[in-house]
Amino acid sequence: MAKRKEHIQTDAPQQAQTGAGAIPQEAPAPPPLPDLTVRVFPISNSKSKLRATANVNIAGAFAVRGFRIFDSRNGLFVKEPEQSYIKDGTELTRPVFFPVTKEAREALYGQILHSYELTMQQGQRQDETGCSLSGEDAPPERNYAPLVEDFDPEDDLPFDCGPSM
């Protein structure tokens, strides 16, 4: 079980530093925040307040899925991934992932909302220009409907699975 750190008192008397000789003590700088990569998946249902879901990659080492972006009267906001459970017949939720500091929360939510806005702008630009794949970017046009002569009624599957074990 984890133990709490206890405050250790020193025998040296503490001197109050006031006046011109006082040295201002700076708060320790928070650790730098890792690089965040966000993938946004817009929701096209206009009746729902849910606008998109997002996945976040933290420093290329951790992935968190299930952030949700909602639209409310006060604007867009981000909700963390949650796990639901039942306690005394009542369904409750608890966050699976959450930032510990205010600075980390602001950076994470800011990056998610910024990525959402960029994604929506790109979607509008493609809709306005009627952008579609053409030329080398487009997949070759093929008729994927199977032909009747491709199937042998004796076969179980319409494709070859390779040698059997």
Side-chain angles (χ1 to χ4, degrees), residues 69-96:
I69 302 168
F70 288 94
D71 192 10
S72 70
R73 285 183 239 143
N74 298 331
L76 295 172
F77 71 94
V78 177
K79 193 153 172 103
E80 296 131 356
E82 294 179 335
Q83 178 184 17
S84 60
Y85 64 98
I86 297 176
K87 182 177 181 182
D88 298 330
T90 305
E91 185 174 358
L92 303 170
T93 60
R94 65 175 161 232
V96 177

PDB file of all heavy atoms in Angstrom, residues 69-96:
ATOM      1  N   ILE A  69     -16.770  15.281 -28.548  1.00  0.00           N
ATOM      2  CA  ILE A  69     -16.909  16.727 -28.699  1.00  0.00           C
ATOM      3  C   ILE A  69     -18.395  17.025 -28.838  1.00  0.00           C
ATOM      4  O   ILE A  69     -19.051  16.535 -29.753  1.00  0.00           O
ATOM      5  CB  ILE A  69     -16.133  17.240 -29.923  1.00  0.00           C
ATOM      6  CG1 ILE A  69     -14.652  16.872 -29.786  1.00  0.00           C
ATOM      7  CG2 ILE A  69     -16.315  18.739 -30.094  1.00  0.00           C
ATOM      8  CD1 ILE A  69     -13.850  17.069 -31.041  1.00  0.00           C
ATOM      9  N   PHE A  70     -18.916  17.818 -27.902  1.00  0.00           N
ATOM     10  CA  PHE A  70     -20.324  18.174 -27.871  1.00  0.00           C
ATOM     11  C   PHE A  70     -20.490  19.658 -28.165  1.00  0.00           C
ATOM     12  O   PHE A  70     -19.602  20.461 -27.897  1.00  0.00           O
ATOM     13  CB  PHE A  70     -20.932  17.888 -26.490  1.00  0.00           C
ATOM     14  CG  PHE A  70     -21.116  16.430 -26.209  1.00  0.00           C
ATOM     15  CD1 PHE A  70     -20.152  15.718 -25.532  1.00  0.00           C
ATOM     16  CD2 PHE A  70     -22.274  15.783 -26.609  1.00  0.00           C
ATOM     17  CE1 PHE A  70     -20.333  14.370 -25.262  1.00  0.00           C
ATOM     18  CE2 PHE A  70     -22.465  14.441 -26.341  1.00  0.00           C
ATOM     19  CZ  PHE A  70     -21.487  13.729 -25.667  1.00  0.00           C
ATOM     20  N   ASP A  71     -21.674  19.998 -28.687  1.00  0.00           N
ATOM     21  CA  ASP A  71     -22.034  21.390 -28.911  1.00  0.00           C
ATOM     22  C   ASP A  71     -23.137  21.731 -27.922  1.00  0.00           C
ATOM     23  O   ASP A  71     -24.139  21.025 -27.825  1.00  0.00           O
ATOM     24  CB  ASP A  71     -22.509  21.594 -30.344  1.00  0.00           C
ATOM     25  CG  ASP A  71     -22.618  23.050 -30.714  1.00  0.00           C
ATOM     26  OD1 ASP A  71     -22.154  23.900 -29.932  1.00  0.00           O
ATOM     27  OD2 ASP A  71     -23.166  23.347 -31.791  1.00  0.00           O
ATOM     28  N   SER A  72     -22.944  22.819 -27.166  1.00  0.00           N
ATOM     29  CA  SER A  72     -23.955  23.238 -26.197  1.00  0.00           C
ATOM     30  C   SER A  72     -24.247  24.715 -26.395  1.00  0.00           C
ATOM     31  O   SER A  72     -23.687  25.362 -27.277  1.00  0.00           O
ATOM     32  CB  SER A  72     -23.463  22.983 -24.774  1.00  0.00           C
ATOM     33  OG  SER A  72     -22.423  23.872 -24.455  1.00  0.00           O
ATOM     34  N   ARG A  73     -25.094  25.260 -25.542  1.00  0.00           N
ATOM     35  CA  ARG A  73     -25.399  26.693 -25.613  1.00  0.00           C
ATOM     36  C   ARG A  73     -24.153  27.537 -25.389  1.00  0.00           C
ATOM     37  O   ARG A  73     -24.039  28.628 -25.917  1.00  0.00           O
ATOM     38  CB  ARG A  73     -26.447  27.062 -24.568  1.00  0.00           C
ATOM     39  CG  ARG A  73     -27.824  26.615 -24.946  1.00  0.00           C
ATOM     40  CD  ARG A  73     -28.823  27.077 -23.922  1.00  0.00           C
ATOM     41  NE  ARG A  73     -29.459  25.875 -23.394  1.00  0.00           N
ATOM     42  CZ  ARG A  73     -29.826  25.680 -22.158  1.00  0.00           C
ATOM     43  NH1 ARG A  73     -29.646  26.614 -21.270  1.00  0.00           N
ATOM     44  NH2 ARG A  73     -30.382  24.554 -21.792  1.00  0.00           N
ATOM     45  N   ASN A  74     -23.222  27.037 -24.581  1.00  0.00           N
ATOM     46  CA  ASN A  74     -22.001  27.783 -24.270  1.00  0.00           C
ATOM     47  C   ASN A  74     -20.874  27.511 -25.254  1.00  0.00           C
ATOM     48  O   ASN A  74     -19.759  27.982 -25.058  1.00  0.00           O
ATOM     49  CB  ASN A  74     -21.527  27.438 -22.860  1.00  0.00           C
ATOM     50  CG  ASN A  74     -22.562  27.831 -21.825  1.00  0.00           C
ATOM     51  OD1 ASN A  74     -23.317  28.772 -22.029  1.00  0.00           O
ATOM     52  ND2 ASN A  74     -22.601  27.104 -20.723  1.00  0.00           N
ATOM     53  N   GLY A  75     -21.112  26.723 -26.283  1.00  0.00           N
ATOM     54  CA  GLY A  75     -20.086  26.429 -27.274  1.00  0.00           C
ATOM     55  C   GLY A  75     -19.645  24.975 -27.205  1.00  0.00           C
ATOM     56  O   GLY A  75     -20.252  24.143 -26.539  1.00  0.00           O
ATOM     57  N   LEU A  76     -18.571  24.672 -27.909  1.00  0.00           N
ATOM     58  CA  LEU A  76     -18.054  23.312 -27.954  1.00  0.00           C
ATOM     59  C   LEU A  76     -17.351  22.962 -26.657  1.00  0.00           C
ATOM     60  O   LEU A  76     -16.707  23.809 -26.041  1.00  0.00           O
ATOM     61  CB  LEU A  76     -17.063  23.166 -29.114  1.00  0.00           C
ATOM     62  CG  LEU A  76     -17.632  23.337 -30.520  1.00  0.00           C
ATOM     63  CD1 LEU A  76     -16.500  23.356 -31.529  1.00  0.00           C
ATOM     64  CD2 LEU A  76     -18.616  22.248 -30.837  1.00  0.00           C
ATOM     65  N   PHE A  77     -17.471  21.698 -26.238  1.00  0.00           N
ATOM     66  CA  PHE A  77     -16.708  21.238 -25.094  1.00  0.00           C
ATOM     67  C   PHE A  77     -16.330  19.775 -25.298  1.00  0.00           C
ATOM     68  O   PHE A  77     -16.943  19.057 -26.085  1.00  0.00           O
ATOM     69  CB  PHE A  77     -17.457  21.438 -23.768  1.00  0.00           C
ATOM     70  CG  PHE A  77     -18.632  20.536 -23.571  1.00  0.00           C
ATOM     71  CD1 PHE A  77     -18.507  19.342 -22.888  1.00  0.00           C
ATOM     72  CD2 PHE A  77     -19.878  20.898 -24.049  1.00  0.00           C
ATOM     73  CE1 PHE A  77     -19.600  18.513 -22.690  1.00  0.00           C
ATOM     74  CE2 PHE A  77     -20.973  20.081 -23.851  1.00  0.00           C
ATOM     75  CZ  PHE A  77     -20.833  18.881 -23.173  1.00  0.00           C
ATOM     76  N   VAL A  78     -15.289  19.348 -24.593  1.00  0.00           N
ATOM     77  CA  VAL A  78     -14.730  18.007 -24.728  1.00  0.00           C
ATOM     78  C   VAL A  78     -15.093  17.192 -23.493  1.00  0.00           C
ATOM     79  O   VAL A  78     -15.009  17.689 -22.373  1.00  0.00           O
ATOM     80  CB  VAL A  78     -13.197  18.075 -24.893  1.00  0.00           C
ATOM     81  CG1 VAL A  78     -12.594  16.681 -24.956  1.00  0.00           C
ATOM     82  CG2 VAL A  78     -12.823  18.869 -26.126  1.00  0.00           C
ATOM     83  N   LYS A  79     -15.469  15.964 -23.708  1.00  0.00           N
ATOM     84  CA  LYS A  79     -15.766  15.040 -22.609  1.00  0.00           C
ATOM     85  C   LYS A  79     -14.805  13.863 -22.717  1.00  0.00           C
ATOM     86  O   LYS A  79     -14.576  13.336 -23.791  1.00  0.00           O
ATOM     87  CB  LYS A  79     -17.213  14.584 -22.707  1.00  0.00           C
ATOM     88  CG  LYS A  79     -17.695  13.905 -21.480  1.00  0.00           C
ATOM     89  CD  LYS A  79     -19.198  14.091 -21.388  1.00  0.00           C
ATOM     90  CE  LYS A  79     -19.722  13.250 -20.270  1.00  0.00           C
ATOM     91  NZ  LYS A  79     -20.033  13.880 -19.098  1.00  0.00           N
ATOM     92  N   GLU A  80     -14.254  13.475 -21.573  1.00  0.00           N
ATOM     93  CA  GLU A  80     -13.261  12.403 -21.545  1.00  0.00           C
ATOM     94  C   GLU A  80     -13.915  11.042 -21.736  1.00  0.00           C
ATOM     95  O   GLU A  80     -15.112  10.890 -21.523  1.00  0.00           O
ATOM     96  CB  GLU A  80     -12.527  12.412 -20.197  1.00  0.00           C
ATOM     97  CG  GLU A  80     -11.723  13.650 -19.962  1.00  0.00           C
ATOM     98  CD  GLU A  80     -11.994  14.250 -18.593  1.00  0.00           C
ATOM     99  OE1 GLU A  80     -12.857  13.758 -17.863  1.00  0.00           O
ATOM    100  OE2 GLU A  80     -11.335  15.246 -18.278  1.00  0.00           O
ATOM    101  N   PRO A  81     -13.106  10.037 -22.098  1.00  0.00           N
ATOM    102  CA  PRO A  81     -13.638   8.679 -22.176  1.00  0.00           C
ATOM    103  C   PRO A  81     -14.123   8.225 -20.796  1.00  0.00           C
ATOM    104  O   PRO A  81     -13.500   8.552 -19.781  1.00  0.00           O
ATOM    105  CB  PRO A  81     -12.445   7.836 -22.612  1.00  0.00           C
ATOM    106  CG  PRO A  81     -11.421   8.792 -23.100  1.00  0.00           C
ATOM    107  CD  PRO A  81     -11.710  10.106 -22.492  1.00  0.00           C
ATOM    108  N   GLU A  82     -15.219   7.495 -20.759  1.00  0.00           N
ATOM    109  CA  GLU A  82     -15.793   7.071 -19.489  1.00  0.00           C
ATOM    110  C   GLU A  82     -16.061   5.575 -19.500  1.00  0.00           C
ATOM    111  O   GLU A  82     -16.246   4.972 -20.550  1.00  0.00           O
ATOM    112  CB  GLU A  82     -17.121   7.793 -19.241  1.00  0.00           C
ATOM    113  CG  GLU A  82     -16.986   9.266 -19.032  1.00  0.00           C
ATOM    114  CD  GLU A  82     -18.327   9.947 -18.811  1.00  0.00           C
ATOM    115  OE1 GLU A  82     -19.358   9.410 -19.270  1.00  0.00           O
ATOM    116  OE2 GLU A  82     -18.331  10.997 -18.160  1.00  0.00           O
ATOM    117  N   GLN A  83     -16.093   5.006 -18.306  1.00  0.00           N
ATOM    118  CA  GLN A  83     -16.469   3.620 -18.113  1.00  0.00           C
ATOM    119  C   GLN A  83     -17.732   3.619 -17.268  1.00  0.00           C
ATOM    120  O   GLN A  83     -17.800   4.312 -16.253  1.00  0.00           O
ATOM    121  CB  GLN A  83     -15.357   2.867 -17.394  1.00  0.00           C
ATOM    122  CG  GLN A  83     -15.681   1.431 -17.099  1.00  0.00           C
ATOM    123  CD  GLN A  83     -14.588   0.755 -16.293  1.00  0.00           C
ATOM    124  OE1 GLN A  83     -13.760   1.411 -15.696  1.00  0.00           O
ATOM    125  NE2 GLN A  83     -14.603  -0.557 -16.289  1.00  0.00           N
ATOM    126  N   SER A  84     -18.727   2.866 -17.694  1.00  0.00           N
ATOM    127  CA  SER A  84     -19.961   2.833 -16.920  1.00  0.00           C
ATOM    128  C   SER A  84     -19.983   1.579 -16.045  1.00  0.00           C
ATOM    129  O   SER A  84     -19.421   0.545 -16.403  1.00  0.00           O
ATOM    130  CB  SER A  84     -21.177   2.869 -17.835  1.00  0.00           C
ATOM    131  OG  SER A  84     -21.163   1.759 -18.696  1.00  0.00           O
ATOM    132  N   TYR A  85     -20.611   1.708 -14.908  1.00  0.00           N
ATOM    133  CA  TYR A  85     -20.754   0.600 -13.975  1.00  0.00           C
ATOM    134  C   TYR A  85     -22.056   0.777 -13.203  1.00  0.00           C
ATOM    135  O   TYR A  85     -22.640   1.850 -13.195  1.00  0.00           O
ATOM    136  CB  TYR A  85     -19.554   0.516 -13.026  1.00  0.00           C
ATOM    137  CG  TYR A  85     -19.386   1.714 -12.114  1.00  0.00           C
ATOM    138  CD1 TYR A  85     -19.845   1.680 -10.803  1.00  0.00           C
ATOM    139  CD2 TYR A  85     -18.784   2.888 -12.568  1.00  0.00           C
ATOM    140  CE1 TYR A  85     -19.694   2.779  -9.964  1.00  0.00           C
ATOM    141  CE2 TYR A  85     -18.633   3.977 -11.736  1.00  0.00           C
ATOM    142  CZ  TYR A  85     -19.083   3.916 -10.441  1.00  0.00           C
ATOM    143  OH  TYR A  85     -18.945   5.000  -9.617  1.00  0.00           O
ATOM    144  N   ILE A  86     -22.506  -0.297 -12.578  1.00  0.00           N
ATOM    145  CA  ILE A  86     -23.760  -0.255 -11.837  1.00  0.00           C
ATOM    146  C   ILE A  86     -23.456  -0.421 -10.358  1.00  0.00           C
ATOM    147  O   ILE A  86     -22.749  -1.341  -9.952  1.00  0.00           O
ATOM    148  CB  ILE A  86     -24.720  -1.349 -12.313  1.00  0.00           C
ATOM    149  CG1 ILE A  86     -25.067  -1.099 -13.779  1.00  0.00           C
ATOM    150  CG2 ILE A  86     -25.970  -1.395 -11.453  1.00  0.00           C
ATOM    151  CD1 ILE A  86     -25.930  -2.160 -14.406  1.00  0.00           C
ATOM    152  N   LYS A  87     -23.988   0.505  -9.562  1.00  0.00           N
ATOM    153  CA  LYS A  87     -23.812   0.457  -8.114  1.00  0.00           C
ATOM    154  C   LYS A  87     -25.182   0.661  -7.481  1.00  0.00           C
ATOM    155  O   LYS A  87     -25.829   1.685  -7.718  1.00  0.00           O
ATOM    156  CB  LYS A  87     -22.838   1.538  -7.663  1.00  0.00           C
ATOM    157  CG  LYS A  87     -22.571   1.520  -6.172  1.00  0.00           C
ATOM    158  CD  LYS A  87     -21.540   2.557  -5.790  1.00  0.00           C
ATOM    159  CE  LYS A  87     -21.278   2.516  -4.306  1.00  0.00           C
ATOM    160  NZ  LYS A  87     -20.317   3.535  -3.916  1.00  0.00           N
ATOM    161  N   ASP A  88     -25.611  -0.277  -6.695  1.00  0.00           N
ATOM    162  CA  ASP A  88     -26.912  -0.229  -6.019  1.00  0.00           C
ATOM    163  C   ASP A  88     -28.061   0.006  -7.001  1.00  0.00           C
ATOM    164  O   ASP A  88     -28.976   0.786  -6.744  1.00  0.00           O
ATOM    165  CB  ASP A  88     -26.923   0.859  -4.937  1.00  0.00           C
ATOM    166  CG  ASP A  88     -25.896   0.611  -3.846  1.00  0.00           C
ATOM    167  OD1 ASP A  88     -25.604  -0.571  -3.578  1.00  0.00           O
ATOM    168  OD2 ASP A  88     -25.390   1.601  -3.286  1.00  0.00           O
ATOM    169  N   GLY A  89     -27.974  -0.641  -8.172  1.00  0.00           N
ATOM    170  CA  GLY A  89     -29.037  -0.532  -9.157  1.00  0.00           C
ATOM    171  C   GLY A  89     -29.014   0.744  -9.977  1.00  0.00           C
ATOM    172  O   GLY A  89     -29.888   0.963 -10.797  1.00  0.00           O
ATOM    173  N   THR A  90     -28.031   1.593  -9.763  1.00  0.00           N
ATOM    174  CA  THR A  90     -27.925   2.846 -10.506  1.00  0.00           C
ATOM    175  C   THR A  90     -26.709   2.789 -11.418  1.00  0.00           C
ATOM    176  O   THR A  90     -25.625   2.392 -10.988  1.00  0.00           O
ATOM    177  CB  THR A  90     -27.767   4.040  -9.544  1.00  0.00           C
ATOM    178  OG1 THR A  90     -28.860   4.031  -8.616  1.00  0.00           O
ATOM    179  CG2 THR A  90     -27.753   5.349 -10.299  1.00  0.00           C
ATOM    180  N   GLU A  91     -26.890   3.183 -12.676  1.00  0.00           N
ATOM    181  CA  GLU A  91     -25.771   3.206 -13.598  1.00  0.00           C
ATOM    182  C   GLU A  91     -24.976   4.501 -13.397  1.00  0.00           C
ATOM    183  O   GLU A  91     -25.531   5.595 -13.476  1.00  0.00           O
ATOM    184  CB  GLU A  91     -26.238   3.105 -15.046  1.00  0.00           C
ATOM    185  CG  GLU A  91     -25.073   2.998 -16.014  1.00  0.00           C
ATOM    186  CD  GLU A  91     -25.505   2.760 -17.453  1.00  0.00           C
ATOM    187  OE1 GLU A  91     -26.717   2.641 -17.702  1.00  0.00           O
ATOM    188  OE2 GLU A  91     -24.619   2.706 -18.299  1.00  0.00           O
ATOM    189  N   LEU A  92     -23.705   4.350 -13.112  1.00  0.00           N
ATOM    190  CA  LEU A  92     -22.813   5.476 -12.903  1.00  0.00           C
ATOM    191  C   LEU A  92     -21.663   5.406 -13.897  1.00  0.00           C
ATOM    192  O   LEU A  92     -21.431   4.355 -14.502  1.00  0.00           O
ATOM    193  CB  LEU A  92     -22.260   5.454 -11.472  1.00  0.00           C
ATOM    194  CG  LEU A  92     -23.293   5.458 -10.349  1.00  0.00           C
ATOM    195  CD1 LEU A  92     -22.609   5.186  -9.020  1.00  0.00           C
ATOM    196  CD2 LEU A  92     -24.021   6.776 -10.319  1.00  0.00           C
ATOM    197  N   THR A  93     -20.962   6.518 -14.066  1.00  0.00           N
ATOM    198  CA  THR A  93     -19.791   6.530 -14.929  1.00  0.00           C
ATOM    199  C   THR A  93     -18.613   7.121 -14.173  1.00  0.00           C
ATOM    200  O   THR A  93     -18.789   7.896 -13.231  1.00  0.00           O
ATOM    201  CB  THR A  93     -20.032   7.367 -16.200  1.00  0.00           C
ATOM    202  OG1 THR A  93     -20.333   8.704 -15.826  1.00  0.00           O
ATOM    203  CG2 THR A  93     -21.153   6.794 -17.041  1.00  0.00           C
ATOM    204  N   ARG A  94     -17.429   6.734 -14.619  1.00  0.00           N
ATOM    205  CA  ARG A  94     -16.210   7.328 -14.075  1.00  0.00           C
ATOM    206  C   ARG A  94     -15.242   7.502 -15.232  1.00  0.00           C
ATOM    207  O   ARG A  94     -15.225   6.700 -16.179  1.00  0.00           O
ATOM    208  CB  ARG A  94     -15.621   6.471 -12.971  1.00  0.00           C
ATOM    209  CG  ARG A  94     -15.141   5.130 -13.428  1.00  0.00           C
ATOM    210  CD  ARG A  94     -14.466   4.380 -12.287  1.00  0.00           C
ATOM    211  NE  ARG A  94     -14.450   2.972 -12.638  1.00  0.00           N
ATOM    212  CZ  ARG A  94     -14.885   2.006 -11.861  1.00  0.00           C
ATOM    213  NH1 ARG A  94     -15.360   2.274 -10.678  1.00  0.00           N
ATOM    214  NH2 ARG A  94     -14.837   0.764 -12.257  1.00  0.00           N
ATOM    215  N   PRO A  95     -14.428   8.536 -15.185  1.00  0.00           N
ATOM    216  CA  PRO A  95     -13.497   8.771 -16.290  1.00  0.00           C
ATOM    217  C   PRO A  95     -12.412   7.696 -16.327  1.00  0.00           C
ATOM    218  O   PRO A  95     -11.934   7.240 -15.295  1.00  0.00           O
ATOM    219  CB  PRO A  95     -12.908  10.144 -15.991  1.00  0.00           C
ATOM    220  CG  PRO A  95     -13.171  10.385 -14.549  1.00  0.00           C
ATOM    221  CD  PRO A  95     -14.358   9.578 -14.171  1.00  0.00           C
ATOM    222  N   VAL A  96     -12.044   7.300 -17.528  1.00  0.00           N
ATOM    223  CA  VAL A  96     -10.986   6.326 -17.722  1.00  0.00           C
ATOM    224  C   VAL A  96      -9.645   7.036 -17.822  1.00  0.00           C
ATOM    225  O   VAL A  96      -8.624   6.544 -17.370  1.00  0.00           O
ATOM    226  CB  VAL A  96     -11.243   5.508 -19.006  1.00  0.00           C
ATOM    227  CG1 VAL A  96     -10.122   4.533 -19.278  1.00  0.00           C
ATOM    228  CG2 VAL A  96     -12.561   4.775 -18.893  1.00  0.00           C
TER     229      VAL A  96
END
